[in-house]
Amino acid sequence: MRSNEVKAGIEHAPHRALLKSLGLDNEDLTKPFIGIANSYNTVVPGHIHLRTLGDAVKEGILSAGGTPFEFNTIAVCDGLAMGHEGMRYSLPSREIIADSVEIMIQAHRLDGLVMISNCDKVTPGMLMAAARLDIPAIILTGGPMAAGRFNGKKVSYSSVPEALGQVVAGKMTASELAQLEDVACPGCGSCSGMFTANTMACISEALGMSLPFCGASLAMSARKVRFARQTGKRIVSLVEHNIKPSDILTLDAFKNAISVDMALGGSTNTVLHLPAIAKEAGLTLPLSLFDEIGRKVPHLCSMIPSGTYAIEDLDRAGGVPAVMNQLQTLLALKALTVSGKTVAENIKNAPVIDADVIHSLTDPVHAEGGIAILTGNLAPKGSVIKTAGVSPKMFKHIGPVKVYDSEKEAITAIRGKQICPGDVVVIRYEGQKGGPGMPEMLIPTATIAGMGLSESVALITDGRFSGATRGGSIGHVAPEAFDGGPISVLQNGDSVTIDIPNRVLKVNLSDEELKTRLASWKPRKPKFTTGILSRYAQGSFE
């Protein structure tokens, strides 16, 4: 055991003295040392209940013959960070989380790792750390909150920013907005739609890194507590059998995860997170792989924000195993999971309980997956769109651009009713370096949707979108404006063509005109010269 480096032999008496100061006895020191990385805090709604889950994990570890050590990581609530400078810190937090877990595990020579997570950047950060450390590890995602109810319909966090657009358009009163605000998020947990947090929870399960049925189980449920206790027990077995992330996080596992993402119509942010996790595992996931799988795997679940079902409905309908059961002809079934079983064994007895929520391959919501990769002279290195949230009316669109050099400028224009049907809103200098931090932009997309323009107005950015975004919203345009990508030289009135079926994103300019504009482009100075954002803008985390 790695932990023998701090507990075995006479030479480690000083280490044992410190460990005994924690209340441990000699018997505790003979057992595997299990680290519990917990992102519990009282700021983030998705994390406020994780202390309870941490206690259950410890009970499981103790009952299985391990010695638990719990520590914390940071966590950013993207909903609270949305629409202001705080959002620039969200994506960089992923790397800080991964680094902090690595430091705690390596410094103290722990034998195994349980990661208790929820929300957008925390789950991928934890998984990055697990892949990097390659010691026995398992993740317990904290689960979604229940859906809210408003005027007889299910609502979620994303309903509120869209309602702001309705207020701007005169379709809702401020009083009605206040009523919605009170019921949209009825309790703790990750926001109740197929946003980034829940997408990553489901993907963690599809990767094989969390126990079957864990991903969609509700935050405030006895079932989640049972998963926590089972997770604690399971990590001890993983240590005893030396089953490591490298045994699980294979290319087949990542392909399975992308397939499940496509079937669920998950967040576009997975094209950032899955490659980052794969990189830590020594693998490469090109954007082309997402598109290749997306063309083969149909969209099976119509989930909020673009559909009608919340994560609680997915759980009730059979959860991730039932989705994977429907997809089994398209999956690598021999892939190993933290349960100690293969994917095939995990999904063998996982029927679909509600076919309205989880469709079959022969009756999909859409024939292709929920995410597409678009390329062209406007995005030579690619761009991403959540097709599951796009109206068929916007699958092909040609329109004039209105260009804004920041999210703030765009929001002012949208709320000022300066955007017309047919327009293509372009928000640039919001990428990883230009932002910096590649902030999520839910406010402009939700406002457009709330104003009733989501079927006639497109939005293109070198930044990224929230998992709650719907409509003709294309993000991750690369190269970004800060690096002199073509998006940097767009001008008001230029015509842009969006062709989702043919995966095309282009500006309708001659090659000569585009080349001339790019030749005259001048770099901008970084927005931040100190602190973590300056380091992120310089690529220090790549």
Side-chain angles (χ1 to χ4, degrees):
M1 290 190 292
R2 286 162 38 104
S3 58
N4 285 340
E5 296 176 39
V6 294
K7 68 184 184 184
I10 190 171
E11 67 273 22
H12 292 304
H15 300 94
R16 290 195 297 275
L18 289 170
L19 290 166
K20 288 180 178 180
S21 76
L22 301 175
L24 302 181
D25 59 27
N26 286 327
E27 183 181 358
D28 296 326
L29 299 181
T30 66
K31 301 174 181 178
F33 280 8
I34 309 298
I36 305 172
N38 194 337
S39 53
Y40 160 79
N41 62 76
T42 61
V43 180
V44 184
H47 297 242
I48 194 170
H49 66 300
L50 298 187
R51 175 182 283 177
T52 298
L53 297 185
D55 289 343
V57 168
K58 282 183 277 189
E59 290 173 8
I61 292 171
L62 290 167
S63 69
T67 298
F69 296 89
E70 188 175 11
F71 59 90
N72 282 93
T73 69
I74 61 170
V76 171
C77 175
D78 281 19
L80 290 173
M82 196 74 66
H84 55 79
E85 287 295 294
M87 179 46 76
R88 304 190 189 282
Y89 292 84
S90 177
L91 187 56
S93 75
R94 185 187 69 181
E95 274 64 30
I96 298 299
I97 291 162
D99 292 347
S100 68
V101 173
E102 177 192 3
I103 288 170
M104 289 296 290
I105 294 295
Q106 295 290 54
H108 303 106
R109 312 313 293 160
L110 303 179
D111 300 305
L113 171 63
V114 175
M115 302 162 285
I116 305 176
S117 171
N118 230 9
C119 296
D120 299 30
K121 311 309 172 297
V122 189
T123 298
M126 297 267 199
L127 289 171
M128 288 167 63
R132 182 188 305 172
L133 291 163
D134 201 28
I135 64 170
I138 185 171
I139 190 163
L140 171 73
T141 48
M145 65 175 67
R149 297 290 190 279
F150 182 70
N151 289 340
K153 296 181 179 180
K154 288 179 182 174
V155 293
S156 68
Y157 163 74
S158 66
S159 305
V160 183
E162 287 197 13
L164 281 173
Q166 293 177 347
V167 172
V168 170
K171 298 178 180 180
M172 177 182 276
T173 67
S175 176
E176 289 172 322
L177 176 62
Q179 294 173 38
L180 173 61
E181 172 189 325
D182 286 342
V183 299
C185 301
C188 67
S190 51
C191 298
S192 60
M194 191 54 72
F195 313 141
T196 305
N198 291 319
T199 301
M200 287 308 304
C202 293
I203 280 180
S204 296
E205 188 179 328
L207 277 170
M209 287 299 293
S210 65
L211 293 176
F213 300 99
C214 179
S217 57
L218 284 172
M220 294 303 290
S221 66
R223 191 180 190 205
K224 183 63 78 176
V225 176
R226 290 196 296 272
F227 278 125
R229 193 171 290 108
Q230 291 164 10
T231 296
K233 292 179 180 179
R234 187 61 201 154
I235 187 59
V236 177
S237 180
L238 291 171
V239 171
E240 290 173 346
H241 292 89
N242 197 31
I243 298 175
K244 298 177 293 186
S246 57
D247 300 313
I248 296 170
L249 295 176
T250 63
L251 183 57
D252 279 343
F254 282 100
K255 288 181 178 179
N256 285 347
I258 296 172
S259 295
V260 170
D261 187 19
M262 293 296 173
L264 293 173
S267 168
T268 54
N269 286 313
T270 54
V271 303
L272 287 175
H273 300 322
L274 279 174
I277 298 164
K279 182 179 179 181
E280 297 288 356
L283 301 170
T284 300
L285 297 184
L287 278 179
S288 58
L289 181 61
F290 285 82
D291 203 59
E292 175 188 332
I293 293 175
R295 288 183 180 273
K296 295 177 182 178
V297 178
H299 176 210
L300 301 183
C301 303
S302 183
M303 310 296 296
I304 294 172
S306 52
T308 56
Y309 295 107
I311 305 301
E312 63 191 53
D313 298 311
L314 177 64
D315 187 38
R316 173 182 53 79
V320 173
V323 175
M324 296 182 77
N325 200 337
Q326 292 299 304
L327 295 174
Q328 60 179 292
T329 58
L330 300 168
L331 300 178
L333 299 177
K334 294 182 180 179
L336 183 65
T337 73
V338 290
S339 70
K341 300 178 180 179
T342 64
V343 168
E345 292 170 317
N346 282 346
I347 67 175
K348 183 178 180 180
N349 297 310
V352 172
I353 298 170
D354 188 340
D356 289 333
V357 179
I358 302 174
H359 288 229
S360 66
L361 289 179
T362 57
D363 181 33
V365 179
H366 296 108
E368 294 187 349
I371 293 175
I373 308 300
L374 311 184
T375 57
N377 66 357
L378 186 52
K381 292 186 177 180
S383 61
V384 185
I385 186 167
K386 183 175 180 176
T387 55
V390 181
S391 165
K393 296 178 181 179
M394 291 295 291
F395 269 52
K396 291 189 176 183
H397 181 80
I398 300 175
V401 302
K402 290 183 176 176
V403 183
Y404 304 95
D405 286 347
S406 71
E407 179 189 15
K408 186 176 182 179
E409 290 178 22
I411 291 173
T412 299
I414 294 166
R415 289 178 175 170
K417 300 182 180 180
Q418 297 175 27
I419 306 303
C420 305
D423 283 347
V424 177
V425 178
V426 174
I427 304 177
R428 62 191 180 191
Y429 291 100
E430 294 287 15
Q432 293 194 49
K433 297 177 183 178
M438 206 177 189
E440 281 188 356
M441 286 179 275
L442 175 61
I443 302 301
T445 58
T447 305
I448 286 172
M451 294 173 69
L453 297 174
S454 63
E455 293 189 341
S456 61
V457 170
L459 196 154
I460 298 172
T461 182
D462 55 5
R464 62 194 176 91
F465 295 116
S466 164
T469 287
R470 64 184 180 93
S473 303
I474 301 170
H476 306 243
V477 170
E480 63 176 281
F482 189 83
D483 285 336
I487 193 173
S488 67
V489 296
L490 287 182
Q491 298 174 4
N492 287 328
D494 285 344
S495 171
V496 164
T497 294
I498 299 166
D499 186 344
I500 296 174
N502 291 305
R503 304 299 197 260
V504 172
L505 177 64
K506 67 177 184 178
V507 55
N508 299 311
L509 298 173
S510 68
D511 292 343
E512 291 184 3
E513 172 63 18
L514 188 56
K515 185 177 180 180
T516 298
R517 289 190 191 182
L518 288 169
S520 63
W521 174 81
K522 295 181 180 180
R524 295 192 175 191
K525 293 181 179 180
K527 295 176 184 176
F528 293 83
T529 57
T530 61
I532 187 173
L533 292 181
S534 67
R535 301 199 301 275
Y536 194 86
Q538 294 167 9
S540 301
F541 293 103
E542 294 181 354

